[in-house]
Amino acid sequence: MAPESALQIAYNAGLDLIMISPGAQPPVCRIADYGRYRFEQDKREKEAKKKQNIIEIKEVQLSCRIDTHDFETKVNHAIRFLKDGNKVKVVLRFRGREMSHQQLGRDNLTQFENSVAEYGTVEKAPVLEGRLMTMMIAPIRDSSKKGGQKKEKPKADPAPSEGSAKQE
């Protein structure tokens, strides 16, 4: 239909002519109330934004000579972050002469990885950058949250019960 006639129809109806797809050949338009159209569009965008899952990166810092209780505390913090769905960046700082014992730091990170293996997987292996050795751990995604596997309902007993049996 010609744009002029579409505008005339919209004007007579007291509505607006809204261009939905200007790049199409011919352009696609719709006759509707523009205020209501914008309201519905904004509502859809807010719903989409609400459903987004924002992943933050939390950081846990270790040292090469960390004690067992401090190590366990850091592991518990990382597990809490992973349960919340956040990624964890584990940073091991070498000080002074500790740089000559990098294998001890790598062993600490391996032990850390094994401690949180139930809740997360290593996304980026330990890498030495200057005096820092860093490793990224991503949370393990549950297939049950995404609707991957549904729980089966118990099936009804196929045999009729005594009360429902016909008497002849």
Side-chain angles (χ1 to χ4, degrees), residues 44-150:
R44 279 193 300 268
E45 288 174 5
K46 284 180 186 176
E47 277 296 318
K49 194 173 186 181
K50 210 184 280 187
K51 291 179 182 177
Q52 284 181 344
N53 188 11
I54 300 171
I55 296 176
E56 294 181 25
I57 298 176
K58 303 287 188 170
E59 188 170 307
V60 175
Q61 293 187 354
L62 306 172
S63 67
C64 195
R65 296 177 290 155
I66 191 166
D67 199 26
T68 55
H69 184 265
D70 295 332
F71 181 82
E72 290 169 5
T73 303
K74 299 288 185 176
V75 166
N76 290 336
H77 286 305
I79 288 172
R80 189 180 72 220
F81 296 148
L82 291 170
K83 281 183 179 177
D84 290 343
N86 298 317
K87 291 184 179 181
V88 177
K89 179 179 182 181
V90 184
V91 178
L92 191 130
R93 181 182 310 267
F94 293 103
R95 293 186 179 161
R97 294 181 183 163
E98 292 175 354
M99 281 298 289
S100 60
H101 302 286
Q102 293 176 11
Q103 188 57 39
L104 291 175
R106 199 170 299 276
D107 293 342
N108 278 347
L109 288 180
T110 304
Q111 183 181 357
F112 194 92
E113 175 187 339
N114 293 335
S115 299
V116 299
E118 187 177 328
Y119 303 98
T121 57
V122 175
E123 189 176 74
K124 180 182 166 197
V127 176
L128 185 68
E129 299 165 354
R131 290 192 166 272
L132 302 176
M133 190 176 284
T134 59
M135 172 175 71
M136 287 291 291
I137 300 175
I140 295 175
R141 296 283 173 213
D142 282 343
S143 61
S144 61
K145 286 183 181 178
K146 295 284 182 180
Q149 295 181 2
K150 297 181 182 177

